[in-house]
Amino acid sequence: MEPPSPDRNGAEAVLNLQPSSSIPITYHPLFGPHDDLILLELDQKLLPDVLHQRVTVRGQPDEDAVLCTESKTYAIKSVGTSNSVFLIPPSGQFNSFESPLCCDENYHDPQSVASVIKIATGNMELVEVAPRLDKLRSLLFENPYRSEEDVEMVDLEEMEGKNTGLYSWDDLIEKVQASDDELRTGLQALSAVEIYGYWRIVDEKYMDRILRMLLHNSVLNDWSLSCLDEDDVVNVLESDGFPRKLANHCLHVYGSKVVEGVSTSSIWKLDERKVCVHFARDILRDGNRKMERFMEDWTRKVPEGMPASLDMLEGEVLIEKLGAETWIRAFSVSSLPYNPAERFSVLFKERPKWEWKDLQPYIRDLRVPGLSAEGLLLKYTRRTQPTADAEPVFSIR
C-alpha cells in the first residue's frame, strides 16, 4: 500500500474539507494519551498575546497556576466536554515512516485521510481574576528597610549574601501571581521602593523621621509645601544624613509632582491628606484615644496651614461611642486582605454589623473582574433596612 501523501494526511486534510463532505479518520502511528498536549480555548482578544509569546504562566508548585498578559491575570480552568475531540497534527510534524491505520477498511484512497494522535476529553479555559497581591505584601514586610541600613558605600556582594527577605523584580514575578502592570500598581500602593536592586517597604518610623526633617527644613528655608524644588529638598535631606534615594522616595510617598523637570528640577506639592493621615497613624499607633485628646494632638502635629479633618481618615480609623465618650482607633484598609472573601471575614470579625457609610471605605478598592460592587455585597453580605428611611445595615451572609 502506498503511504499517504504528506500534505493530505494531517490537519490540512480537514482544513481543506468542503462543506457537506466527509473524510475517514485513522489512528496516527504515535496515537496515545499525550498528556503534554492540552487544548486551550481563547478569547479572540487574547490570541495575539499567545501567538506572539507575550504571556507567562505563574505560580508555585503548591498554587493553582495563572496565565498573565502584560496587564491582566487569568485563572486556568479545566473544562470537560461531552463530545470527543480529535487532535490531528499537521502533516510532517512527527517523523514516522509508518502508514496510519484507517478506521474504514473499505476506504482505499490513501491520499486523503485524517490521522488522529489523541482524543481530548476536555480543554482549558481562561477566566480573568484579580491579581493575588496579598503575597506581595507579606514578602515585602519580611524585611522592611530600617535606618541602620543607611551605609552609602554598601558592599553589594556582602548584601547579596545576606539577602534573606529581599526580593528583586525577577523574584517577585516568579513568586507573585499578577501581571507586570498589576505588580507595578501593587508596589506603588504599598509605597515600595527599589534599593540596590531589591524592592523594599521602608519602616514607618524611619519614614516619619524623614518627613519630619523635610517639614523642619521647609520652615528653616522658607519653602512652600505646595512648591517644593526636588533638588533643594533632596540635597538638604542628604546633608542631614539621609540617602538620596530615600529623600526622593519621601516626596513620592507624601507628595505629587506638579512640574516635571527636564533641564531644571522638578516641583513637588505635599499631599495634605497623606501627610495628615501619617500623623494620625503615628498618634494611634499606641492604641485607642478619646476623640477630644486625639484631635488636640493631631492638630498640633500636622504642619501649619494643613486642615486636619476627620473626612481624611475614611478607611483609616473606626469611631465608636462608649457611653457619653467618643473613642477613635486605628483600622486601616491598607492592612486588610485583597481577597474579597478574606476581606469580608476580617471586617465582620471586627464588627458584626456595618452601616454603609462605615463599610464603603473598606471595600471600594476591591476589584473582581465580572463582579460589580453591588454583586460583591450580594455575595458576601446580608442587607437589612428596618424602614425605608433608615440607613442599610450589612451583616455576614
Side-chain angles (χ1 to χ4, degrees):
M1 183 176 179
E2 184 181 347
S5 174
D7 62 344
R8 301 181 65 189
N9 189 39
E12 296 84 356
V14 178
L15 293 173
N16 296 327
L17 196 62
Q18 297 301 312
S20 302
S21 57
S22 62
I23 188 173
I25 60 173
T26 72
Y27 287 109
H28 193 281
L30 300 179
F31 179 85
H34 292 287
D35 294 332
D36 57 330
L37 296 177
I38 302 174
L39 286 178
L40 176 62
E41 183 178 355
L42 287 175
D43 188 284
Q44 190 68 28
K45 65 183 180 182
L46 285 173
L47 195 56
D49 286 327
V50 174
L51 294 179
H52 293 92
Q53 299 182 3
R54 296 194 296 259
V55 298
T56 55
V57 175
R58 293 178 179 170
Q60 298 296 300
D62 59 341
E63 297 172 327
D64 293 332
V66 298
L67 183 140
C68 294
T69 63
E70 180 67 23
S71 60
K72 294 184 178 181
T73 302
Y74 297 86
I76 304 175
K77 305 289 186 180
S78 179
V79 180
T81 57
S82 56
N83 298 322
S84 295
V85 179
F86 296 156
L87 300 191
I88 303 170
S91 57
Q93 181 170 350
F94 298 94
N95 294 324
S96 175
F97 297 99
E98 299 181 52
S99 299
L101 304 175
C102 183
C103 295
D104 187 347
E105 296 180 354
N106 298 318
Y107 190 84
H108 300 293
D109 179 10
Q111 300 300 310
S112 184
V113 292
S115 302
V116 177
I117 197 169
K118 171 179 177 170
I119 297 177
T121 57
N123 61 269
M124 309 300 287
E125 69 174 16
L126 303 179
V127 179
E128 186 180 349
V129 295
R132 297 166 182 174
L133 295 175
D134 285 309
K135 189 173 185 179
L136 174 64
R137 179 163 49 199
S138 65
L139 291 174
L140 295 186
F141 272 104
E142 286 179 11
N143 191 358
Y145 187 95
R146 295 184 171 88
S147 58
E148 52 265 28
E149 296 186 49
D150 284 349
V151 181
E152 287 295 325
M153 302 302 292
V154 65
D155 187 333
L156 293 182
E157 290 186 3
E158 180 180 349
M159 183 178 182
E160 289 171 0
K162 300 178 180 178
N163 66 349
T164 303
L166 300 181
Y167 300 96
S168 66
W169 174 260
D170 289 341
D171 295 330
L172 293 177
I173 62 175
E174 178 184 344
K175 294 178 178 294
V176 180
Q177 293 182 301
S179 69
D180 288 3
D181 286 354
E182 291 166 331
L183 185 55
R184 292 188 189 97
T185 300
L187 288 168
Q188 184 178 5
L190 291 170
S191 298
V193 58
E194 190 176 19
I195 302 174
Y196 300 118
Y198 298 103
W199 283 93
R200 311 289 298 276
I201 287 177
V202 184
D203 177 67
E204 283 188 357
K205 292 183 179 179
Y206 190 30
M207 286 303 300
D208 179 66
R209 284 177 51 197
I210 302 174
L211 176 61
R212 288 175 188 270
M213 185 60 71
L214 188 158
L215 295 173
H216 175 69
N217 286 325
S218 71
V219 175
L220 292 181
N221 296 286
D222 197 25
W223 294 338
S224 168
L225 297 182
S226 60
C227 188
L228 293 170
D229 183 285
E230 180 178 314
D231 288 345
D232 289 345
V233 171
V234 172
N235 289 336
V236 171
L237 286 175
E238 186 179 25
S239 69
D240 290 326
F242 299 104
R244 293 188 66 86
K245 186 79 172 182
L246 294 183
N248 191 274
H249 181 58
C250 183
L251 289 173
H252 281 82
V253 172
Y254 299 110
S256 58
K257 191 178 295 186
V258 292
V259 176
E260 181 70 51
V262 180
S263 58
T264 59
S265 178
S266 298
I267 303 299
W268 291 76
K269 175 183 179 180
L270 286 192
D271 186 299
E272 292 182 349
R273 181 184 180 277
K274 291 179 180 178
V275 173
C276 290
V277 166
H278 169 83
F279 286 110
R281 288 176 175 174
D282 183 59
I283 295 169
L284 295 173
R285 190 173 290 124
D286 296 330
N288 304 358
R289 301 291 289 272
K290 289 183 180 180
M291 180 63 77
E292 295 81 3
R293 182 64 183 275
F294 166 77
M295 290 301 299
E296 291 174 5
D297 292 346
W298 192 31
T299 304
R300 187 174 62 252
K301 284 197 171 190
V302 300
E304 185 178 352
M306 284 194 180
S309 168
L310 286 175
D311 293 340
M312 293 177 168
L313 301 183
E314 278 193 349
E316 292 291 336
V317 300
L318 290 179
I319 298 172
E320 297 170 334
K321 280 191 172 295
L322 296 176
E325 296 180 331
T326 302
W327 290 73
I328 184 170
R329 60 190 175 92
F331 187 67
S332 178
V333 65
S334 63
S335 66
L336 300 180
Y338 293 103
N339 178 279
E342 295 176 8
R343 171 78 64 92
F344 280 102
S345 176
V346 171
L347 289 173
F348 288 120
K349 285 179 182 177
E350 186 68 26
R351 280 184 179 177
K353 294 184 178 181
W354 289 78
E355 292 184 2
W356 172 242
K357 63 180 177 62
D358 296 327
L359 179 62
Q360 195 265 348
Y362 291 99
I363 64 171
R364 62 186 169 200
D365 67 315
L366 290 178
R367 298 288 183 271
V368 179
L371 196 60
S372 64
E374 292 76 13
L376 279 172
L377 291 173
L378 285 172
K379 184 174 182 179
Y380 294 106
T381 71
R382 189 184 307 278
R383 172 179 171 147
T384 56
Q385 195 169 5
T387 66
D389 298 332
E391 285 289 327
V393 175
F394 297 87
S395 56
I396 193 169
R397 178 171 287 280

